[in-house]
Amino acid sequence: FQKANPPKYIPPDYNFSNPYDMVAMNGKLYISDGNACVIFEVDPAATQNKRVRRLADMSVGHPITTGIAAGADGNVYVTIMTIPPYPPGAAKVFKIGASGTVTEVGTGLSLGTGLAIGPDGTFYVAEFATALGKAPYVVPPGRVMKLVAGGAPQQVAAPLMYPGMLRWGPDGLYSDAFSIGTNEGATPIGAIYRLDSTATGGK
C-alpha cells in the first residue's frame, strides 16, 4: 500500500514504512507509522485489496508519529517524537477525526513516544529521554507527563529508562521501560511498570 500510495513528504531515510503503535476501535485497527508519518486504518473484515486506507497524512515536516490511543469520543489521538534536535516543548498531541482531519489538542511536550487516555479523558504522554536540543539528544532517563487543561504538562512518573509505550489497563496506567536497551549481557532488562497516575512529580 505504501509503495503504491507514497506520503506527501519523503524523508531522507524513507524505507516505505515503520509501524510504531496500534490500537483497536470499532472493529478496525489504527496504526501510527513513524517513518512515513501517517496514520493507517485497517479493516480486517474487508477484502484483501481494500483493508488498508490512509486515515491521515502528517508527513510534512516529518514529525515522527508515535504513540496512538482510541478516544471514547470515537476519534483517534496520536503524539509525535519530533525530529533532531528534538526542541524542548515541541512535541504535541493531535486528534484524528473519522474524515482524517488533524487537530492539535495538547502542547508543551518533548520527545513524545507513548500515549494513553484515562477514564476521565486525561492524556498521558511518555517522554523518551532528556538532553533535548543538544547532542546526543536521547540521553536517559525519560518520564511520563499528563496534560492539564489551561496549564503546562505535569510530571506523573520519573525516572523511566527509555519509555516507549503507554496503555491504560483495568487497574491503571502502564508504561514500558528500557525499550531500546539491555544490560549488555545475556539477560534482557526490558520492563513494564504500573504507574500512580494521580501523582505529581512522582517516581
Side-chain angles (χ1 to χ4, degrees), residues 107-203:
T107 61
L109 301 156
S110 302
L111 251 170
T113 51
L115 177 65
I117 306 174
D120 64 352
T122 299
F123 291 94
Y124 298 86
V125 178
E127 295 186 335
F128 191 65
T130 53
L132 301 170
K134 58 179 186 255
Y137 304 126
V138 289
V139 175
R143 59 183 180 172
V144 172
M145 308 289 285
K146 68 178 178 181
L147 296 182
V148 179
Q154 293 181 357
Q155 179 175 294
V156 171
L160 285 169
M161 299 295 286
Y162 295 131
M165 297 284 184
L166 289 181
R167 287 292 184 268
W168 193 275
D171 58 348
L173 182 64
Y174 285 80
S175 175
D176 69 351
F178 293 98
S179 63
I180 62 168
T182 70
N183 62 358
E184 300 182 0
T187 305
I189 55 174
I192 296 174
Y193 292 95
R194 183 161 62 89
L195 309 177
D196 180 2
S197 61
T198 66
T200 300
K203 294 187 72 174

Side-chain angles (χ1 to χ4, degrees), residues 31-187:
I31 303 167
S32 61
D33 189 311
N35 183 254
C37 299
V38 300
I39 307 300
F40 293 114
E41 180 186 79
V42 178
D43 185 353
T47 56
Q48 185 170 353
N49 63 344
K50 295 183 179 179
R51 288 178 186 159
V52 181
R53 81 174 179 110
R54 181 172 296 137
L55 179 63
D57 187 331
M58 301 174 64
S59 63
V60 176
H62 196 54
I64 311 179
T65 49
T66 51
I68 193 168
D73 58 1
N75 294 303
V76 174
Y77 293 82
V78 66
T79 190
I80 60 172
M81 191 172 185
T82 68
I83 59 175
Y86 309 112
K92 301 176 180 179
V93 175
F94 297 92
K95 178 175 73 174
I96 314 295
S99 64
T101 303
V102 179
T103 307
E104 181 183 297
V105 296
T107 61
L109 301 156
S110 302
L111 251 170
T113 51
L115 177 65
I117 306 174
D120 64 352
T122 299
F123 291 94
Y124 298 86
V125 178
E127 295 186 335
F128 191 65
T130 53
L132 301 170
K134 58 179 186 255
Y137 304 126
V138 289
V139 175
R143 59 183 180 172
V144 172
M145 308 289 285
K146 68 178 178 181
L147 296 182
V148 179
Q154 293 181 357
Q155 179 175 294
V156 171
L160 285 169
M161 299 295 286
Y162 295 131
M165 297 284 184
L166 289 181
R167 287 292 184 268
W168 193 275
D171 58 348
L173 182 64
Y174 285 80
S175 175
D176 69 351
F178 293 98
S179 63
I180 62 168
T182 70
N183 62 358
E184 300 182 0
T187 305

